[in-house]
Amino acid sequence: MSEKPVLVAQISDLHIKTPGAFAYGRVDTAKALGRCVATLNALDPAPDFVVISGDLGDTPTVEEYDYLAHLLQPLKWPFAAVPGNHDSREMMRAAFPNAPYAFPSGPLDQKIEVGNLDLVLLDSSVHGKPHGELGEPTLQWLDTTLASTTDRPALLFLHHPPFVAGIWHMDRQNLQNAGELATIVRRHPRVQLIACGHVHRATLTLFAGRPCTICPAPNHAVDLDLAHSREPSFKVEPPALHLHVWFPGEGLGTLVTHQVPIGDFDGPHPFFGPDGKLL
């Protein structure tokens, strides 16, 4: 029997607050996460793993992470998370103590093997700052981890995008030492994808010659102000998640990313009737 594809779902920027509180006074992020978990649980075929790419909490507080753990209890599939600029490393480590962290303290980097695929989670958070940076321990660990083999494809996950997306107030918060990440990525052809969050919008580009994506959010979107004409703003747009599908094959196989809307929708309906004719 041929090897099956590996499905990795990515959700991002949950911004969970304490029960009853709304983000920015109007976004019910807890309800949004509930819809997201229901969508993940209904996926068929099921994802092999779920990655949460930062901003799990909003303020953050211990109470927010307690509430987050409660909201994630119905999720059927294993998951891991990296912190974003709204998170606390210490609080996340306490909330998810069994994760395979690379270091006993400091950055919450992780490597997770899912079938013949390596998921490499990088902590780009900087305490008390909105921008991202990969510290020297993380960069050294990443280089060593990627050098451990050449024949297992690897997907990198981090919160802050290493590229300019064109939204001015988000671009000044992106990964500040993207060049150092690019140098490592170019050294290791097994990196098939760099997947980020932070901007709350589905975005695709090339970085260091590899596909680099931003995952949309389950709650609110950053305003698409490419003209730099408005103050930092958000909009409530249709929520979505990313589903990264790795197909085994020649060399390092093939990776495809699908955007999956969050919610219940009409269908599926057949294109053809019992007689084989188009309906």
Side-chain angles (χ1 to χ4, degrees):
M1 182 180 294
S2 61
E3 187 183 351
K4 293 182 179 179
V6 176
L7 279 65
V8 179
Q10 180 189 3
I11 62 176
S12 196
D13 297 271
L14 311 183
H15 288 271
I16 296 303
K17 300 185 74 68
T18 53
F22 285 16
Y24 312 108
R26 63 173 61 230
V27 182
D28 190 343
T29 54
K31 185 176 182 180
L33 179 55
R35 290 191 297 264
C36 181
V37 168
T39 295
L40 288 167
N41 286 342
L43 287 176
D44 185 16
D48 297 286
F49 203 84
V50 178
V51 175
I52 309 174
S53 51
D55 283 0
L56 285 73
D58 189 62
T59 307
T61 64
V62 172
E63 290 76 18
E64 288 177 355
Y65 288 109
D66 288 344
Y67 191 31
L68 169 68
H70 169 73
L71 293 169
L72 289 174
Q73 280 182 352
L75 182 62
K76 297 178 181 179
W77 323 123
F79 69 89
V82 291
N85 53 292
H86 281 255
D87 288 309
S88 159
R89 286 176 174 173
E90 292 73 21
M91 293 179 191
M92 275 189 62
R93 191 182 287 271
F96 307 108
N98 297 321
Y101 300 120
F103 305 102
S105 62
L108 305 185
D109 305 322
Q110 303 167 60
K111 189 194 84 166
I112 298 161
E113 297 181 2
V114 182
N116 286 331
L117 195 64
D118 283 347
L119 310 182
V120 182
L121 280 59
L122 304 173
D123 184 348
S124 61
S125 65
V126 179
H127 179 70
K129 302 294 183 180
H131 69 269
E133 185 174 348
L134 297 174
E136 190 59 31
T138 291
L139 291 169
Q140 292 180 2
W141 174 82
L142 172 62
D143 199 21
T144 300
T145 297
L146 292 175
S148 64
T149 183
T150 59
D151 58 0
R152 287 178 62 87
L155 312 185
L156 308 188
F157 292 88
L158 69 161
H159 182 68
H160 296 85
F163 63 89
V164 170
I167 303 174
W168 66 273
H169 59 97
M170 300 304 294
D171 288 337
R172 66 186 183 186
Q173 302 176 20
N174 65 7
L175 189 71
Q176 301 296 290
N177 60 338
E180 293 178 85
L181 175 61
T183 297
I184 294 174
V185 168
R186 290 191 181 100
R187 270 203 294 266
H188 301 285
R190 74 185 188 104
V191 175
Q192 300 296 289
L193 174 73
I194 302 98
C196 314
H198 192 52
V199 184
H200 292 233
R201 304 201 67 88
T203 308
L204 168 67
T205 190
L206 286 177
F207 173 77
R210 315 297 162 81
C212 187
T213 59
I214 298 175
C215 182
N219 35 53
H220 53 285
V222 171
D223 179 32
L224 186 61
D225 178 20
L226 298 178
H228 302 191
S229 60
R230 295 182 288 277
E231 291 300 310
S233 306
F234 69 91
K235 298 177 72 174
V236 179
E237 297 181 354
L241 58 90
H242 274 170
L243 185 64
H244 308 292
V245 184
W246 176 73
F247 297 94
E250 184 178 354
L252 292 167
T254 304
L255 186 77
V256 176
T257 295
H258 295 269
Q259 180 165 313
V260 181
I262 292 172
D264 294 320
F265 303 94
D266 190 25
H269 302 290
F271 287 115
F272 300 94
D275 57 1
K277 293 183 178 179
L278 191 65
L279 293 173

